[in-house]
């Protein structure tokens, strides 16, 4: 099975599962900032494109992906990144976020999401949702900010128009 076929099958499977538990309505434990330890849903991110990026402790590729997401924020300010911790305990996930100097909202991944992704999804991995809350595509493994920007544009998630960059041109 080639990569494109595997991607289509995964999206069909996950979209079906996502409708069953409403991705944006699952309560997840907050890992950072003043909301640490509170249960929150992702409903606050509706009506805006998001990248839900999975990470785990002691993952060098996750750290590189985090840096790429920080750069992407300047290239595609409309797209909001959130971090979803997986394969670790809360203390280690929080430590990994501090190591990255994370400023993105971060949560412990809900068990239903983990289950839908096959129990132990590989990281780094990202699910990209459009502003309507529809899973548009996903990535597996590290992707540079420019690769993510191109994928976001190609999949019509955002045009990534950065006003300050446009004014300079």
């Amino acid at each position: 099975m080639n990569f494109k076929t595997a991607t289509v099958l995964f999206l069909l499977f996950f979209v079906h599962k996502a409708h069953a538990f409403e991705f944006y309505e699952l309560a997840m434990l907050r890992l950072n900032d003043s909301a640490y330890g509170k249960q929150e849903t992702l409903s606050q991110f509706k009506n805006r494109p998001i990248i839900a990026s999975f990470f785990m402790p002691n993952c060098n590729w996750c750290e590189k992906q985090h840096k790429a997401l920080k750069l992407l924020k300047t290239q595609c300010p409309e797209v909001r990144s959130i971090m979803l911790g997986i394969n670790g305990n809360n203390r280690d996930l929080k430590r990994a976020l501090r190591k990255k100097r994370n400023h993105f909202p971060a949560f412990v991944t809900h068990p239903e999401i983990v289950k839908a992704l096959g129990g132990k999804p590989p990281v780094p991995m990202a699910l990209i949702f459009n502003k309507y809350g529809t899973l548009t595509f996903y990535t597996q493994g590290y992707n540079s900010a420019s690769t993510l920007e191109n994928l976001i544009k190609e999949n019509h998630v955002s045009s990534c128009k950065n006003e300050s960059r446009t004014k300079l041109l």
Side-chain angles (χ1 to χ4, degrees), residues 48-104:
R48 188 171 183 176
I50 66 165
I51 295 178
S53 182
F54 294 86
F55 74 98
M56 67 182 215
N58 304 314
C59 171
N60 292 331
W61 287 109
C62 297
E63 291 176 28
K64 290 177 184 181
Q65 189 63 66
H66 192 267
K67 287 178 187 175
L69 290 172
K70 285 181 179 179
L71 183 56
L72 181 69
K73 184 178 178 180
T74 63
Q75 297 169 331
C76 296
E78 178 188 22
V79 180
R80 183 82 187 261
S81 294
I82 60 170
M83 306 302 292
L84 296 176
I86 195 163
N87 301 336
N89 63 48
N90 296 355
R91 186 186 79 234
D92 290 342
L93 291 169
K94 188 171 170 112
R95 186 179 302 132
L97 291 170
R98 273 196 312 267
K99 184 178 178 183
K100 297 173 196 163
R101 294 185 176 95
N102 177 67
H103 296 288
F104 299 125

Side-chain angles (χ1 to χ4, degrees), residues 82-154:
I82 60 170
M83 306 302 292
L84 296 176
I86 195 163
N87 301 336
N89 63 48
N90 296 355
R91 186 186 79 234
D92 290 342
L93 291 169
K94 188 171 170 112
R95 186 179 302 132
L97 291 170
R98 273 196 312 267
K99 184 178 178 183
K100 297 173 196 163
R101 294 185 176 95
N102 177 67
H103 296 288
F104 299 125
F107 304 87
V108 176
T109 306
H110 192 281
E112 286 295 323
I113 297 172
V114 176
K115 184 178 169 185
L117 295 172
K120 269 201 158 184
V123 290
M125 176 185 208
L127 303 175
I128 295 77
F129 295 85
N130 65 20
K131 68 181 180 181
Y132 305 108
T134 304
L135 177 66
T136 308
F137 68 97
Y138 86 104
T139 65
Q140 197 171 340
Y142 169 78
N143 286 281
S144 69
S146 60
T147 298
L148 287 171
E149 180 180 6
N150 289 335
L151 287 168
I152 286 167
K153 288 177 181 177
E154 287 170 15

